[in-house]
Amino acid sequence: QVQLIESGGGLVQAGGSLRVSCALANGRPFNLYYVVGWFRQALGKEREFVGSITWRGGRTYYKDSVKGRFAVSRDNAKGTVALQMNSLKPEDTAIYFCAAKLGGDGGPGTYDYWGQGTQVTVSS
């Protein structure tokens, strides 16, 4: 069973930045077959896709409302994936989840493995 662990998140003022990271719980790096995505769920709302990256090739996809503000990247040395969030807005407040699947081209859709989530709160 693949388990994911998120780290980072927290409280920030509007306009600020936060970074959250995702790693495999077993400490191994993501391999070439993984696609890693980020989702978020605000209180009372459905979970939504935020962005993703393919480990092979580093191809990224983003939700329209975060393009230019958020960036998903891979750390080849650490074998982890990060979501850098800049120019944060109060409406970005949510629990952010890391998800992964083997194969595919990224983007929204079905992911097989999920982390527990980390809270991101943006104050106005």
Side-chain angles (χ1 to χ4, degrees):
Q1 181 70 20
V2 175
Q3 293 181 313
L4 305 174
I5 296 178
E6 300 98 341
S7 60
L11 174 64
V12 67
Q13 288 188 331
S17 297
L18 278 176
R19 184 181 182 90
V20 291
S21 295
C22 177
L24 289 171
N26 61 13
R28 296 180 177 177
F30 288 108
N31 64 37
L32 290 176
Y33 303 103
Y34 275 101
V35 176
V36 180
W38 287 97
F39 292 75
R40 66 187 182 186
Q41 187 167 19
L43 191 63
K45 296 187 178 181
E46 292 187 353
R47 186 171 61 195
E48 62 179 4
F49 171 78
V50 175
S52 66
I53 189 167
T54 59
W55 197 263
R56 182 195 297 268
R59 184 171 183 177
T60 55
Y61 292 88
Y62 296 100
K63 173 181 172 65
D64 284 346
S65 65
V66 306
K67 286 180 180 177
R69 300 190 299 123
F70 290 12
V72 183
S73 62
R74 56 186 181 177
D75 186 324
N76 290 325
K78 296 181 180 179
T80 60
V81 171
L83 174 66
Q84 176 68 39
M85 301 178 284
N86 301 321
S87 302
L88 282 161
K89 305 174 181 180
E91 52 263 43
D92 293 318
T93 295
I95 298 174
Y96 282 71
F97 296 91
C98 171
K101 60 182 177 179
L102 293 172
D105 203 27
T110 301
Y111 284 71
D112 300 310
Y113 312 109
W114 292 82
Q116 295 296 312
T118 184
Q119 179 70 45
V120 171
T121 303
V122 185
S123 62
S124 57

